[in-house]
Each structure stands twice: as structure tokens, then as C-alpha cells.
């Protein structure tokens, strides 16, 4: 009788599913997971198991444990390529996602697809940005200004220049077109923001799309923040003070990323 026992990590046997569309679900983590996130993730996994049973998709998980976010993303992407994944779904360990998240995201054809996420801290703006590069110097450094797209259309599929990676579905093929390292940064800007900028440098038709009708929660302390929190404080004196005092400080000087 043939021995069909599979040992070790399931990714070691990904080659058994050549006729499936393979998706790696990964959760970069610093080691702190709120109980609401833990419960949410269990519900999400049960839902993708049901979806797997009725579809051509095969899901795998790959997590790194307690690592800096840049290093965790780097290792996860390496593994996605080496195991011939078709898609990589990043879900950070402080995000509350709809159970049918994947089913909605996979319907959209783009290099990166995301739901509508916000910052966890005041003023809870969308993590969808317009990126403006200026003051480029001979050493390749430049000034980067990221502006949150606060006027984003709701309940639509919209294009985006840059997006935060709290929850994103990525086509693994695009990783092969961008020189490594993908996520290591040495400046005061997010690793996800620079990834999007570098992707545009190396992939002429690179596309990011956002499903703004698919709302994700971001664990605050102790509340979960969504776009509804931004809508609530938008236009208030507190928000106007934030724009005047803190927004000018959010324009870091960046090193060459080419």
C-alpha cells in the first residue's frame, strides 16, 4: 500500500496541488493577538475551508512568529515564491476581517487588491494614499509626501496609487518582477508604501484596486476602528487641529529605492 502520510509543514507538499490555484494566507505578527482577532481569524479560516471545498482554490498558511514587520513580510514572500503560490493574502494580527473576505477580493483582477482599512489611531483615515515624490537629488534620495485619500468613493471598486498592507491580496508573480529586498526600509515611511512605489518603478502596468464596500476593522485600544470612525470625526475642530499641527510632519526624506 502506498504511504500517503504527509509530515512537516503543509507547504512542503504544495506540489501535490498542481491543478489548484494556490493561496498562502499569512499573518505577520509581533506576538500580541487580541482575543477578538483570535476569534475572528478562526471564523475566517472556517469560511475559507468551506470556499475551498466548492472551488478550485487550495489554501495554505505560513506565519513567522515574533519578527519585525519588514522581515516577516520578506520571509513570507520568499516562501510564497519558492512553493509556487499564485496568491498571497496578508492579514495583520490586529485586523478584524469579514468572513467572506477572500471571496470578495478574488473577484477583482489587479496586482494588489484590498478592502477599505483605516489607521488604528486618530483620525482613523483610510490607508489609501496619493504619493507625491519631489526634491530628487543626485544620490537618488527624494522627498515623499503621502496624502490619505479621504474623499474615496464608497461601495465601489476604485483604483489606488498606494495602499497599506494591513489586509491585501497580492499576485505572487509581481514579486518576481521587483528586485529584492521588497520591504526593508531605512527611512521614516512604511514598508508597504515603499513597496507600492517600487512596484510602479519596475512594473509599468502595475494596478492596485480597493473594494471600498468591504470594510475591515483595525484593533485600537480597546476599540475596533473602521471608516465609520473617520466619518464621525471628519470636519470637527479636533480633526482640523490635527491637520494643521501634525500633517506637515508626515513628509519624510527617503533614500534611493531604485
Amino acid at each position: 500500500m502506498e504511504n500517503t502520510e504527509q509530515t512537516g509543514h503543509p507547504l512542503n507538499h504544495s506540489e501535490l496541488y498542481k491543478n489548484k490555484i494556490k493561496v498562502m494566507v499569512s499573518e505577520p505578527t509581533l506576538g500580541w493577538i487580541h482575543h477578538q482577532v483570535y476569534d475572528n481569524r478562526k471564523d475566517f479560516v472556517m469560511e475559507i475551508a468551506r470556499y475551498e471545498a466548492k472551488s478550485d482554490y487550495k489554501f495554505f498558511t505560513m506565519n513567522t512568529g515574533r519578527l519585525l514587520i519588514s522581515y516577516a513580510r520578506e520571509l513570507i514572500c520568499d516562501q510564497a515564491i519558492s512553493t509556487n503560490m499564485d496568491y498571497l493574502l496578508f492579514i495583520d494580527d490586529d485586523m478584524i476581517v469579514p468572513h467572506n473576505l477572500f471571496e470578495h477580493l478574488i473577484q477583482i483582477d489587479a496586482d494588489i487588491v484590498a478592502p477599505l482599512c483605516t489607521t488604528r489611531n486618530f483620525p482613523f483615515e483610510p490607508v489609501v494614499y496619493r504619493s507625491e515624490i519631489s526634491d530628487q537629488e543626485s544620490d537618488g534620495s527624494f522627498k515623499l509626501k503621502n496624502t490619505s485619500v479621504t474623499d474615496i468613493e464608497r461601495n465601489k471598486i476604485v483604483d489606488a496609487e498606494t495602499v497599506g498592507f494591513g489586509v491585501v491580496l497580492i499576485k505572487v508573480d509581481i514579486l518576481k518582477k521587483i528586485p529584492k529586498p521588497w520591504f526593508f526600509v531605512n527611512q521614516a515611511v512604511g514598508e508597504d508604501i515603499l513597496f507600492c512605489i517600487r512596484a510602479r518603478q519596475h512594473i509599468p502596468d502595475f494596478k492596485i484596486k480597493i473594494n471600498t464596500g468591504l470594510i475591515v476593522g483595525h484593533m485600537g485600544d480597546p476599540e475596533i476602528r473602521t471608516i465609520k470612525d473617520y466619518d464621525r470625526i471628519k470636519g470637527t475642530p479636533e480633526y482640523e487641529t490635527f491637520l494643521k499641527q501634525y500633517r506637515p510632519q508626515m513628509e519624510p526624506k527617503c533614500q534611493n529605492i531604485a
Side-chain angles (χ1 to χ4, degrees):
M1 180 181 295
E2 182 181 0
N3 183 3
T4 58
E5 180 181 5
Q6 297 181 14
T7 59
H9 197 285
L11 282 173
N12 296 336
H13 309 285
S14 60
E15 74 281 356
L16 298 177
Y17 303 95
K18 294 180 180 179
N19 297 325
K20 293 285 188 176
I21 303 170
K22 294 181 288 187
V23 182
M24 180 188 290
V25 182
S26 295
E27 191 167 30
T29 177
L30 292 176
W32 180 90
I33 298 180
H34 193 279
H35 69 90
Q36 292 185 75
V37 176
Y38 183 73
D39 290 342
N40 172 257
R41 212 64 83 245
K42 287 194 295 183
D43 289 337
F44 171 71
V45 168
M46 286 190 286
E47 182 60 33
I48 60 173
R50 286 190 288 269
Y51 187 74
E52 178 180 289
K54 63 179 183 181
S55 72
D56 293 326
Y57 292 89
K58 174 63 181 176
F59 293 91
F60 299 84
T61 59
M62 192 274 178
N63 299 302
T64 60
R66 298 184 180 185
L67 290 176
L68 292 175
I69 190 70
S70 296
Y71 190 36
R73 293 199 196 284
E74 200 82 10
L75 291 178
I76 289 167
C77 287
D78 268 332
Q79 191 76 314
I81 291 175
S82 65
T83 54
N84 296 312
M85 293 291 123
D86 296 291
Y87 291 91
L88 170 60
L89 178 59
F90 274 129
I91 307 178
D92 284 358
D93 67 350
D94 55 357
M95 309 305 289
I96 303 292
V97 301
H99 301 162
N100 57 358
L101 170 77
F102 178 81
E103 191 169 353
H104 282 285
L105 295 182
I106 198 62
Q107 294 175 13
I108 305 168
D109 184 21
D111 299 302
I112 293 179
V113 184
L116 185 54
C117 305
T118 64
T119 61
R120 83 156 66 83
N121 298 316
F122 183 89
F124 321 118
E125 292 175 328
V127 290
V128 182
Y129 303 98
R130 298 184 184 96
S131 298
E132 179 181 340
I133 294 176
S134 61
D135 299 338
Q136 297 192 41
E137 299 181 3
S138 58
D139 64 355
S141 63
F142 57 88
K143 191 172 184 179
L144 177 65
K145 179 180 180 180
N146 285 307
T147 304
S148 181
V149 184
T150 56
D151 59 348
I152 193 167
E153 290 187 81
R154 307 297 174 81
N155 299 309
K156 302 280 187 180
I157 308 299
V158 301
D159 294 313
E161 292 181 18
T162 309
V163 67
F165 273 27
V167 181
V168 286
L169 180 66
I170 304 172
K171 288 183 178 179
V172 172
D173 278 348
I174 72 166
L175 298 173
K176 304 172 186 177
K177 301 176 183 179
I178 306 170
K180 293 179 63 176
W182 297 295
F183 296 100
F184 289 126
V185 295
N186 60 351
Q187 51 261 335
V189 65
E191 82 291 341
D192 42 12
I193 302 301
L194 282 184
F195 179 90
C196 294
I197 293 173
R198 294 191 69 229
R200 292 194 182 283
Q201 290 179 328
H202 295 281
I203 306 174
D205 56 349
F206 178 72
K207 292 181 181 179
I208 300 174
K209 290 188 179 292
I210 312 293
N211 182 341
T212 64
L214 192 60
I215 296 176
V216 163
H218 200 161
M219 284 299 308
D221 187 19
E223 298 178 88
I224 299 169
R225 300 302 188 181
T226 72
I227 194 66
K228 295 179 181 178
D229 291 284
Y230 170 73
D231 291 340
R232 176 175 52 80
I233 60 92
K234 181 175 59 176
T236 63
E238 187 180 10
Y239 183 54
E240 295 302 320
T241 299
F242 169 84
L243 294 179
K244 292 177 181 178
Q245 293 184 352
Y246 298 103
R247 182 53 51 73
Q249 302 175 23
M250 301 167 73
E251 299 179 14
K253 182 79 171 184
C254 296
Q255 301 296 319
N256 181 22
I257 58 171

